[in-house]
Amino acid sequence: MFASGKICRPRRCLFYIIVFLICQLILVLQFIVYKRNNDITASKFSSQPLHHSNDSGIHFLDWREFISHTPPRSEDYYQYNLHLSDTLGVIRNLPSTRHYGCMTRPFKLPPPLASKVSVVISFHNEARSMLLRTVVSLLRRTPEEYLHELILVDDGSQDVTLLDDLMRWMDGFLAARRDRLGLIFRRNQKRMGLISSRNRGASLASGNYVLFLDSHCEVNEEWLEPLLERLALDPHLAVSPLLDPIDPTTLSYRKGNEMLKGGFDWSLHFHWLKRQLAIKELPEMAYKSPAFAGGVLMMSRDWFLMLGSFNSYLKIWGGESIELAIKLWLCGGQIEIVPCSRIGHIFRRRHAFDFPPQSDQDQQLSPAQETYLHNSKIIAESWLDEYKNMFYALRPVARRIPLDHTYDEMQKLRRERQCHPFEWYLRHVNPELRLHFDELSATGTLRNEDRCLHARQKNSQLILASCYLSDITQWSMLRSSGQLSTQRELCLGVGLRMRITLQPCGRNETTRKSQRWLRLGTHLLHAETHLCLDNPLKDRLEMSTCRSHAVSQSFQFALEMEA
Ligand code: UD2
Ligand code: MN
């Protein structure tokens, strides 16, 4: 070929060039689709025209009139971009964030008559435009034959005319559908908190399933079908859609991560856990999860009531979906996250509401912290059996929080439904939590006399301070490596000139060596230097020769694990 002076024959060359160009074009198109799916900013959407009418008989009445009655408030009040929310309109197109595999097969749907869904939304001080978008996205993207009713509970919002205005607006909006869709509106004159309000809503529900939704969500296309398909297989199953994050500032809608499952740590704080795909498991398949993906969840209404609803002793906000997850698994149910079902949710950076003052006498805890600890304490006392000591070790202040009831009801439920002990959950549902437990030789606060060793977050400085600070450092002493680490994965080590340091926990042999500690009674002996951790001047740590009865070298963990 080269000998003849030609690289290829002209016709064949042309063919190769055309194939090459087509490939390039496909790549560019794929990139555009990818960008569109992963980062759609609010400004790219145009809002729907006023008085627009679509096939399902929904009329877009003048929503601008409805939202114009929003009382003037600063952006801080809502913790998201109010102005943008007001200009977006009642519905916008959302990018398709789910896996391609979800779109290529039809979902096996149960008969509508036995699968009616009641949607419960409790809201407190939500912006009108945001609430409206939540409701309208739901009405537009849910098959009519399955959507039984909408239950809206206004939890004592300051905008006192909101609920009446909304009722009027919805009446007009749903003119053609009013007879088929139940609408229930309730207002708590006094704020009761999210947990009681959701229970109130659920007690009014008459559908087969109940779905709990936050009031700043947008459901994506075909969100319900994949959930119904799973729920129809097992009456004791509860499901979460995959939550796509909506940015509070730009209101851009992004793709949520389908490789995560819900879990919690021993302080009973929610955490994401990485999931591993089993052989032949596809990323779009529904998967088991130790906890819900937050508070957006759906299950049989009867099963929810049978489990005692959300624990009604929990106050205001927090912990209710963890409590429900534990009791569900222990009492014969299961939880799945269904990545083919997508719902957008605004993850706000801070609470947009105050917590009512609690009982804390010495004011070391904020009302929000005390409420969360109160709720976690109820969960620990009701479900964790002997493992509640882990919780108290990590949250010693919780011991001082008063509870105004006993746990008899929960024990009755556990007996009647023959629920498993918590040990079963660790073995079969949440091995990650158990692994952490098994690896520990001691954990919790680290006390020397009347003070505790605290790692300041800012500059990783070590100080000895009161053991009752609300964010006191919790230490974990690991059995195999001898490392002593904080929740932030910083390890106590000894550096140059015997300086005690906090460094990222080492994974290789050399760093691990300088971070290895041995325990001699209550002494902490540094393996490399053979010196002991000491607090001779009562406010500064040093390394010194080990002395068996030196109080300044005696450090106690809040919880010692069995050998
Ligand atoms: C997360 C969950 C939420 C719930 C909460 C813990 C997601 C997407 N959200 O909330 O479902 O499990 O953790 O309890 O996983 N509200 C009231 N009354 C109040 C306070 C709040 O009705 O006193 C409403 C509020 O308007 C909102 C919902 O409760 O619709 C959840 O509150 P949030 O959005 O402030 O909390 P978030 O998303 O951190
Ligand atoms: Mn929320």
Side-chain angles (χ1 to χ4, degrees), residues 111 189 242 357 397 500:
Q189 290 310 329
L242 209 124
V397 267
I500 301 162

Side-chain angles (χ1 to χ4, degrees), residues 285-301:
M285 286 177 173
Y287 54 95
K288 303 268 179 285
S289 176
F292 293 102
V296 178
L297 60 101
M298 181 165 151
M299 61 192 287
S300 138
R301 187 205 54 170

Side-chain angles (χ1 to χ4, degrees), residues 115 162 224 248 506:
S115 319
L162 191 162
L224 180 64

Side-chain angles (χ1 to χ4, degrees), residues 126 198 214-217 296 317 345-348:
E126 196 66 75
R198 282 191 175 170
D214 283 15
S215 44
H216 34 255
C217 290
V296 178
W317 182 100
H345 168 260
I346 299 193
F347 288 89
R348 298 188 278 199

Side-chain angles (χ1 to χ4, degrees), residues 416-445:
E416 278 173 6
R417 298 218 57 84
Q418 299 181 334
C419 306
H420 295 289
F422 192 67
E423 172 74 27
W424 183 91
Y425 177 81
L426 292 179
R427 262 184 209 291
H428 300 280
V429 186
N430 203 339
E432 290 85 352
L433 202 59
R434 193 194 163 84
L435 205 70
H436 181 56
F437 183 83
D438 288 346
E439 224 325 63
L440 292 175
S441 93
T443 189
T445 49

